[in-house]
């Protein structure tokens, strides 16, 4: 995850790329559901970099890129079209998933 | 990772930056930056890989096995290994026709599997770029 953050930052010039999707749970807890730990992809919201930043990340670090073939993980560059702000529902569904994983 | 005062300040700043970007950069809402586009792209890549798999199964499966072996070493001891083991089982137990159906399944399950695809290196960079351009054209058509 840290490697991807650094590479996305270097590639796009965005100093603090925003992680959205499942991997963003790591910002608040290390006790994440198994589905998050199993994942080999990380979603980056590249809101300040424009379409060019999204394209370059998907091309260079995206699924089936030479980078992902070499390392076994990849980045999805996303814009605001994919992001829905639903904090209450999201938190509730994550809590429920974490409880299910513990039981 | 821990959330401390500095992190919170940074997160708050980033949220404002996103809102500012929405206001000044409408292209950020383009379908090109949507997860739906990425899912369609992954499906298009896998349809091409499936065609290659039908034509030269040994070559494609050897590459997938070699990727899985290498990645399992890289991800040893992490949860990611489960996703890789799942693919290893599929590759070792399914018939080619079943594998093709699985990797090109247009469903949530198909998308989940494609996210940990072991078929890196089957398509050349040029082929990958052509498929990307085709999908890009598709969403603006």
């Amino acid at each position: 995850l840290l490697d991807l953050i650094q590479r996305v930052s270097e590639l796009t010039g965005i100093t603090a790329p925003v992680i959205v999707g499942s991997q963003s749970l790591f910002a608040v807890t290390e006790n994440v559901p198994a589905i998050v730990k199993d994942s080999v992809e990380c979603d980056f919201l590249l809101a300040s970099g424009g379409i060019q930043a999204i394209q370059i990340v998907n091309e260079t670090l995206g699924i089936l890129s030479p980078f992902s073939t070499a390392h076994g993980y990849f980045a999805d560059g996303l814009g605001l079209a994919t992001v829905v702000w639903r904090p209450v529902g999201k938190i509730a569904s994550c809590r429920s998933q974490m409880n299910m994983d513990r039981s | 990772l821990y959330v401390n005062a500095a992190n919170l300040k940074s997160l708050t700043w980033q949220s404002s930056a996103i809102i500012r970007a929405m206001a000044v950069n409408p292209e950020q809402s383009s379908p090109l930056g949507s997860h739906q586009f990425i899912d369609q792209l992954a499906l298009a890549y896998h349809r091409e890989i499936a065609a290659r798999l039908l034509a030269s199964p040994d070559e494609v499966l050897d590459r997938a096995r070699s990727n899985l072996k290498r990645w399992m070493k890289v991800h040893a001891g992490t949860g990611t290994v489960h996703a890789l083991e799942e693919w290893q089982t599929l590759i070792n137990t399914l018939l080619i026709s079943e594998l093709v159906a699985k990797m090109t399944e247009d469903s949530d399950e198909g998308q989940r599997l494609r996210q940990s695809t072991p078929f890196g290196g089957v398509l050349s960079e040029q082929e990958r770029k052509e498929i990307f351009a085709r999908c890009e054209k598709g969403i603006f058509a």
Side-chain angles (χ1 to χ4, degrees):
Chain A
L1 188 59
L2 295 175
D3 178 45
L4 276 178
I5 295 170
Q6 193 174 347
R7 285 175 193 269
V8 166
S9 180
E10 283 169 7
L11 205 57
T12 60
I14 299 170
T15 48
V18 179
I19 295 174
V20 291
S22 61
Q23 300 300 308
S24 62
L25 283 178
F26 279 113
V28 289
T29 178
E30 288 181 13
N31 183 25
V32 296
I35 195 169
V36 177
K37 288 183 184 166
D38 291 359
S39 177
V40 294
E41 59 98 26
C42 182
D43 295 332
F44 286 89
L45 175 64
L46 304 170
S48 56
I51 285 293
Q52 292 80 7
I54 294 169
Q55 279 172 326
I56 198 168
V57 165
N58 288 329
E59 201 172 299
T60 313
L61 304 174
I63 187 166
L64 292 168
S65 63
F67 170 83
S68 84
T69 303
H71 295 84
Y73 50 86
F74 63 93
D76 285 337
L78 301 169
L80 290 165
T82 208
V83 178
V84 180
W85 300 96
R86 277 186 306 197
V88 176
K90 186 81 178 171
I91 290 166
S93 100
C94 291
R95 278 192 185 136
S96 146
Q97 181 66 48
M98 280 193 269
N99 290 339
M100 277 168 61
D101 279 6
R102 279 197 207 109
S103 59
Chain B
L1 294 174
Y2 300 97
V3 174
N4 56 28
N7 283 351
L8 275 177
K9 195 175 166 191
S10 163
L11 286 169
T12 310
W13 181 87
Q14 286 176 23
S15 301
S16 334
I18 292 166
I19 292 159
R20 280 199 306 275
M22 284 172 82
V24 301
N25 199 356
E27 69 172 5
Q28 277 291 328
S29 297
S30 158
L32 186 62
S34 71
H35 227 297
Q36 196 183 6
F37 174 75
I38 298 221
D39 291 338
Q40 286 305 309
L41 183 63
L43 178 58
Y45 285 150
H46 282 82
R47 283 184 175 148
E48 187 61 37
I49 293 168
R52 211 64 63 84
L53 181 59
L54 288 168
S56 321
D58 291 343
E59 193 185 317
V60 173
L61 291 180
D62 282 352
R63 193 175 279 272
R65 286 194 183 102
S66 149
N67 284 339
L68 286 170
K69 194 175 167 188
R70 201 172 64 255
W71 296 344
M72 277 182 181
K73 279 185 194 159
V74 173
H75 295 292
T78 71
T80 301
V81 171
H82 298 137
L84 303 177
E85 282 171 348
E86 186 178 10
W87 266 110
Q88 200 167 42
T89 304
L90 292 175
I91 284 173
N92 290 336
T93 56
L94 294 185
L95 299 171
I96 297 295
S97 57
E98 292 170 329
L99 195 54
V100 162
K102 203 84 178 159
M103 67 199 276
T104 56
E105 198 178 290
D106 194 1
S107 65
D108 288 348
E109 174 64 3
Q111 273 174 27
R112 185 188 66 79
L113 279 173
R114 284 189 289 276
Q115 283 194 333
S116 55
T117 178
F119 296 104
V122 172
L123 301 177
S124 69
E125 262 310 89
Q126 187 55 37
E127 289 165 331
R128 205 172 148 262
K129 276 180 188 168
E130 282 168 11
I131 294 170
F132 191 99
R134 225 165 46 219
C135 288
E136 208 174 3
K137 229 182 217 172
I139 60 167
F140 292 118

